[in-house]
Amino acid sequence: MSGHDASGHLHVSPESKAPYAADVLERLHVDAAEVISRYPQKRSALLPLLHLVQSVDGYVTGRGVTFCAEVLDLTEAEVSGVATFYTQYKRHPNGDYTVGVCTNTLCAVMGGDLIFDRLSEHLGVGHDETTEDGKITLERVECNAACDYAPVVMANWEFFDNQTPESTIGLVEDLRAGKDVAPTRGAAKVCTFKEVSRVLAGFEDGRADEGVGAGPASLLGLKIANDRGWVAPGANSSNGSHSSQADGKDGSK
């Protein structure tokens, strides 16, 4: 696929380098100026500006690299070096929904490998590949940081906990059909890759307080600590030892 193995600016497809339309470029400059104003050194705005480019193009295009370099007074090589380092920046067209299956140790043992294999077979794509309809990009993820709900799948970085091959196939088919899909935790529905990229660029979408942030399994340790009166070591602790309060009301640790 043209541009699939693109690395930076020089090897992207020709259409990736085509200039932005005048109105699109004007909006990019307005948004970029707002992002840059948040940093004492404007080159520090590169990470959010790459997300901004993805919110427009769906991936880091050649023209996006050029735009970032020009507004930040960087070379295209410097921009490309960052864009090719972080996996959240895509160097070829991405689907509307990135579905990441965790296959790190715990999720793999709990069924993550099976989920990935079944989903890959169902969609007809492998890791970092996109379905022909442009809807789903499948990824094998090292860790979704939600081991208490293994196996976990993420759709555009929204959590879907305790998944099975069947539930995940249902998830991707609902996304492909254009249905509103609610994650297990977090926002009320999964947004598109471009919409999420704009949020990652630093522009709020008004949905930060939607849904449940943490489920019972994540909060169990806090509940036990509260029930037993455990607290973190305070300033009165000497030589790094815990106070009797930190050891718990019943003297247990």
Side-chain angles (χ1 to χ4, degrees), residues 71-135:
V71 298
L72 297 177
D73 294 331
L74 298 172
T75 66
E76 290 175 349
E78 288 174 314
V79 175
S80 296
V82 173
T84 56
F85 183 82
Y86 297 103
T87 57
Q88 276 192 321
Y89 300 126
K90 309 302 180 181
R91 277 83 70 192
H92 51 86
N94 199 75
D96 292 335
Y97 301 94
T98 299
V99 175
V101 180
C102 183
T103 56
N104 211 333
T105 306
L106 183 57
C107 278
V109 170
M110 298 295 288
D113 283 337
L114 179 60
I115 291 174
F116 182 88
D117 291 343
R118 287 278 299 277
L119 198 56
S120 177
E121 180 181 6
H122 176 78
L123 295 173
V125 296
H127 169 69
D128 199 27
E129 294 180 351
T130 302
T131 54
E132 290 187 3
D133 60 7
K135 295 292 184 179

Side-chain angles (χ1 to χ4, degrees), residues 6-251:
S7 56
H9 181 265
L10 296 179
H11 303 292
V12 294
S13 59
E15 59 268 24
S16 168
K17 300 180 184 180
Y20 287 110
D23 60 327
V24 174
L25 185 61
E26 182 179 1
R27 288 196 302 271
L28 271 173
H29 275 291
V30 171
D31 289 340
E34 181 175 341
V35 172
I36 292 170
S37 69
R38 301 168 185 165
Y39 296 89
Q41 297 184 32
K42 64 180 181 179
R43 67 178 296 147
S44 300
L46 177 55
L47 296 182
L49 285 191
L50 288 170
H51 284 300
L52 181 64
V53 166
Q54 291 196 139
S55 76
V56 174
D57 290 329
Y59 68 111
V60 178
T61 53
R63 62 188 178 187
V65 169
T66 298
F67 173 79
C68 291
E70 290 177 348
V71 298
L72 297 177
D73 294 331
L74 298 172
T75 66
E76 290 175 349
E78 288 174 314
V79 175
S80 296
V82 173
T84 56
F85 183 82
Y86 297 103
T87 57
Q88 276 192 321
Y89 300 126
K90 309 302 180 181
R91 277 83 70 192
H92 51 86
N94 199 75
D96 292 335
Y97 301 94
T98 299
V99 175
V101 180
C102 183
T103 56
N104 211 333
T105 306
L106 183 57
C107 278
V109 170
M110 298 295 288
D113 283 337
L114 179 60
I115 291 174
F116 182 88
D117 291 343
R118 287 278 299 277
L119 198 56
S120 177
E121 180 181 6
H122 176 78
L123 295 173
V125 296
H127 169 69
D128 199 27
E129 294 180 351
T130 302
T131 54
E132 290 187 3
D133 60 7
K135 295 292 184 179
I136 306 293
T137 295
L138 179 63
E139 287 188 343
R140 183 187 294 273
V141 181
E142 278 301 304
C143 184
N144 278 328
C147 305
D148 42 353
Y149 289 103
V152 174
V153 173
M154 296 193 87
N156 286 346
W157 302 288
E158 298 288 359
F159 287 105
F160 290 82
D161 302 326
N162 302 127
Q163 292 297 289
T164 65
E166 292 73 25
S167 66
T168 309
I169 288 173
L171 162 66
V172 297
E173 287 307 311
D174 284 346
L175 291 173
R176 295 174 88 179
K179 296 180 181 180
D180 287 345
V181 177
T184 306
R185 292 172 282 137
K189 72 171 185 177
V190 178
C191 293
T192 66
F193 181 77
K194 288 184 178 181
E195 289 170 332
V196 171
S197 294
R198 183 167 178 82
V199 174
L200 292 173
F203 295 93
E204 295 185 10
D205 61 358
R207 307 174 64 224
D209 296 324
E210 288 183 357
V212 177
S218 303
L219 298 174
L220 182 57
L222 177 62
K223 180 180 183 302
I224 292 173
N226 287 337
D227 289 345
R228 298 191 178 188
W230 294 348
V231 296
N236 295 329
S237 297
S238 60
N239 299 322
S241 61
H242 295 282
S243 66
S244 59
Q245 183 182 18
D247 289 342
K249 293 178 180 178
D250 58 0

